Amino acid sequence: PVTNLHFVTDAAGTRVTLFATTTAQTMVFDTSGSKSEPAVLEERGCGIGCSLMNEEDELIVARDEAIYTYTVDGRGPCFAFDAPKVLLRRFKHYLLLATAAPSSMAPNLANGDDRPPVDATESRVYSYNDPTTFTILDTKNKLVAYTGVVPGGVRGVATEWGSIFVLGGHGTMDFFSEKDLLERLDILYRQNLYPLAVKMAQNGNYDMASVAGIYKRYGDWLYSKDDFDSAMLQYVQTIGVVEPSYIIRKYLDAQRLNNLTSYLQELHTAGMATSDHTTLLLNCYTKLRDEERLNQFIHTQEDYQFDVDTAIHVCRQAGFYEQALYLADKFSKTG
């Protein structure tokens, strides 16, 4: 039997496409009349109320093991979400899911013992009055924004006045409104979920300085956990926004010269280094006795975004005369 029908009109308003699902198939029809037979997108369907069209005119189908996307050309990406689906709705970039919980997980008596059956679905019996799990999926940021149990099951979901209303089987009405971006970020900060906070801020069109501020928070948290390498990866993202001396002092105090060297190199690459930064970087190379990176630094700089006199002085003091001579010769320096 047919479980869902969705009509889609193209941008010109001249062609109408019909997506249809049955319990066994997912299909698309060209209603222009050029093709009489539907194109079968997949030999699997879905239940009633478990499909919809998104803003990109893609068909979204919720099956027990995952959520799938389809276009007229076939199946697209899918999102793993393992739970028996009973309802699918949409609100902005959120997917609203009602998933049933089995009212009975009794053993399959044919097995003669209380081990799980070979096909666990055979023993699942669902009741209309069972509690239902209601989940809000943030598809833009790839996270679960909310999940909770609705006693008596979800009877309906409405999205009106910029909010979500969920009618429960016991006469309850749950109301959900989207928190503003600052509130959502604050929740992620409290849970130390900084990578998600960065993605959410970027998707929310935060400016570079604001995103860099999140990277700084993330770096500080990792640094406090003595994860110096990972912290430096975050601090590098703050170049041009956060004062370099803030990061430099941290790594000088911790005697993490390799990390500090990486940061100073990135400062030079970004054209944000001063002569003091050059002096410090070259001193790092010499203290680490890292002749390879020292040579790479002075030989591969195309526009030499550093103070040449400073570089020559540091190389001479550390006994790297060959490198000092190279720079002096290249820039006709004497003395």
Side-chain angles (χ1 to χ4, degrees):
V2 174
T3 53
N4 301 280
L5 295 172
H6 305 282
F7 288 94
V8 180
T9 305
D10 66 6
T14 57
R15 182 176 180 178
V16 178
T17 302
L18 170 62
F19 287 92
T21 64
T22 69
T23 54
Q25 288 182 317
T26 300
M27 301 170 287
V28 61
F29 295 81
D30 184 354
T31 63
S32 65
S34 60
K35 295 180 181 179
S36 58
E37 294 296 322
V40 178
L41 300 174
E42 189 157 9
E43 293 289 349
R44 300 172 69 201
C46 68
I48 295 173
C50 289
S51 70
L52 54 80
M53 302 302 298
N54 67 11
E55 293 177 340
E56 288 75 39
D57 288 340
E58 296 172 323
L59 176 67
I60 310 298
V61 175
R63 300 193 183 104
D64 286 358
E65 74 284 357
I67 300 168
Y68 298 88
T69 61
Y70 297 88
T71 66
V72 293
D73 299 316
R75 198 173 88 181
C78 68
F79 307 95
F81 191 85
D82 189 12
K85 315 297 189 300
V86 296
L87 186 71
L88 175 67
R89 294 291 184 268
R90 180 171 67 88
F91 173 71
K92 297 182 180 179
H93 60 277
Y94 299 96
L95 289 179
L96 316 177
L97 283 166
T99 57
S103 61
S104 173
M105 290 299 290
N108 187 339
L109 299 181
N111 287 347
D113 57 30
D114 56 354
R115 289 176 298 173
V118 174
D119 182 1
T121 59
E122 292 177 2
S123 70
R124 294 182 180 179
V125 179
Y126 301 104
S127 167
Y128 186 68
N129 294 314
D130 275 349
T132 304
T133 300
F134 180 68
T135 303
I136 301 176
L137 295 178
D138 184 342
T139 59
K140 184 185 292 185
N141 297 297
K142 304 295 188 299
L143 58 84
V144 175
Y146 170 83
T147 187
V149 175
V150 179
V154 173
R155 294 292 180 266
V157 176
T159 55
E160 295 291 343
W161 308 299
S163 302
I164 302 167
F165 299 87
V166 179
L167 177 64
H170 292 169
T172 60
M173 177 70 79
D174 293 318
F175 163 79
F176 299 88
S177 62
E178 185 180 24
K179 294 181 181 293
D180 65 36
L181 186 52
L182 283 175
E183 289 180 287
R184 283 178 278 157
L185 289 175
D186 189 55
I187 292 170
L188 295 177
Y189 296 154
R190 292 199 299 269
Q191 298 177 31
N192 299 316
L193 297 175
Y194 294 102
L196 281 177
V198 168
K199 181 187 290 187
M200 188 174 290
Q202 291 171 335
N203 288 334
N205 297 319
Y206 259 35
D207 60 29
M208 185 180 69
S210 299
V211 175
I214 301 174
Y215 277 118
K216 176 181 173 295
R217 279 176 176 257
Y218 190 19
D220 289 346
W221 181 71
L222 291 168
Y223 187 93
S224 71
K225 302 294 182 183
D226 293 337
D227 189 352
F228 301 111
D229 294 342
S230 297
M232 180 51 72
L233 293 176
Q234 314 314 316
Y235 287 138
V236 164
Q237 302 297 323
T238 70
I239 290 175
V241 177
V242 175
E243 176 60 42
S245 60
Y246 174 81
I247 292 103
I248 290 170
R249 280 197 304 269
K250 279 180 171 289
Y251 282 84
L252 278 176
D253 292 343
Q255 292 296 300
R256 303 287 300 186
L257 291 185
N258 274 312
N259 296 127
L260 180 57
T261 301
S262 298
Y263 178 75
L264 291 168
Q265 286 178 160
E266 293 295 334
L267 270 183
H268 283 79
T269 300
M272 307 293 292
T274 66
S275 60
D276 288 337
H277 296 144
T278 302
T279 302
L280 184 56
L281 175 58
L282 294 174
N283 275 314
C284 286
Y285 286 143
T286 56
K287 286 185 178 180
L288 293 169
R289 308 309 296 175
D290 193 342
E291 188 169 357
E292 180 180 350
R293 282 203 287 181
L294 174 59
N295 284 332
Q296 185 179 22
F297 179 74
I298 65 174
H299 285 276
T300 61
Q301 293 288 316
E302 294 181 1
D303 50 2
Y304 283 85
Q305 295 175 336
F306 59 83
D307 186 279
V308 176
D309 288 329
T310 299
I312 293 172
H313 176 71
V314 172
C315 288
R316 287 177 61 184
Q317 278 197 325
F320 286 90
Y321 300 112
E322 182 180 339
Q323 289 76 10
L325 183 60
Y326 170 82
L327 290 172
D329 181 61
K330 186 174 182 64
F331 292 94
S332 302
K333 299 286 184 180
T334 58

